[in-house]
Amino acid sequence: MADEKKTVKKEDTSKAAKKTNIFKRIGKAIAKFFKDLKGETKKIVWPGRQMVIKSTGIVLAAILVIGAGIWILDFAVSGAITAVNRAANETEAVSTTEAAGENDKEDSHEGHDHGSDEEETESTTAA
C-alpha cells in the first residue's frame, strides 16, 4: 500500500511540473525569437542614397508609362463605345423617321381608297 501512495504522489507532481514546464518553454521560445530577430536585423544591408534615388526614378517612370498606356486604351475604348452608340442612335432615328413617314402617307390617303369605292359601286350596279 505504501508503494501505491508513492506512485500517486509522483503522478501528481509530474502534472504540476508539466504545467510549469509549458510556461518555461513558451518563455524560452519567445526569448529565442527575439534573439534571432536581433541577429537577422544585423544582416540587413540598407541601400545607399544614390541607389534609393535611382530605384525611385525607375518606379516613377514605370508608373508614368503604364498610366499612359492605360489612358490610351481607355480613350480608344471610350471612342469605340461612343461611335457604336451614335451609329445605333442614327439607325434608330432613321427607322423612326421612315416609320413616321409611312404613317403620314397612310394618314393622307385614308380618304382616298384608290379603286375600292368604284369596285363596290360597279359590283353593286352589276348585281
Side-chain angles (χ1 to χ4, degrees):
M1 224 186 223
D3 293 330
E4 291 176 14
K5 288 181 181 179
K6 289 180 182 178
T7 56
V8 171
K9 287 182 181 178
K10 287 181 182 177
E11 290 175 9
D12 291 338
T13 56
S14 66
K15 287 181 183 178
K18 284 182 182 178
K19 287 183 181 180
T20 56
N21 286 340
I22 289 173
F23 292 118
K24 285 181 182 178
R25 283 189 293 170
I26 291 173
K28 287 180 182 179
I30 291 172
K32 184 179 183 298
F33 171 78
F34 282 109
K35 184 179 177 185
D36 291 343
L37 179 67
K38 185 178 178 184
E40 290 297 321
T41 54
K42 287 181 180 179
K43 294 178 185 178
I44 296 173
V45 178
W46 295 100
R49 181 181 173 97
Q50 292 294 352
M51 185 64 172
V52 171
I53 291 171
K54 184 179 177 182
S55 297
T56 303
I58 291 170
V59 168
L60 291 176
I63 289 171
L64 289 174
V65 169
I66 292 170
I70 291 172
W71 179 75
I72 290 169
L73 287 173
D74 180 54
F75 187 75
V77 170
S78 296
I81 290 173
T82 303
V84 169
N85 282 337
R86 283 185 188 158
N89 289 338
E90 287 176 6
T91 305
E92 185 178 308
V94 169
S95 63
T96 305
T97 306
E98 288 176 357
E102 290 174 5
N103 288 340
D104 289 343
K105 289 178 185 177
E106 290 175 6
D107 290 342
S108 65
H109 294 304
E110 277 184 10
H112 305 284
D113 264 345
H114 299 284
S116 62
D117 288 337
E118 294 172 5
E119 290 175 7
E120 286 181 21
T121 310
E122 290 175 12
S123 61
T124 313
T125 316

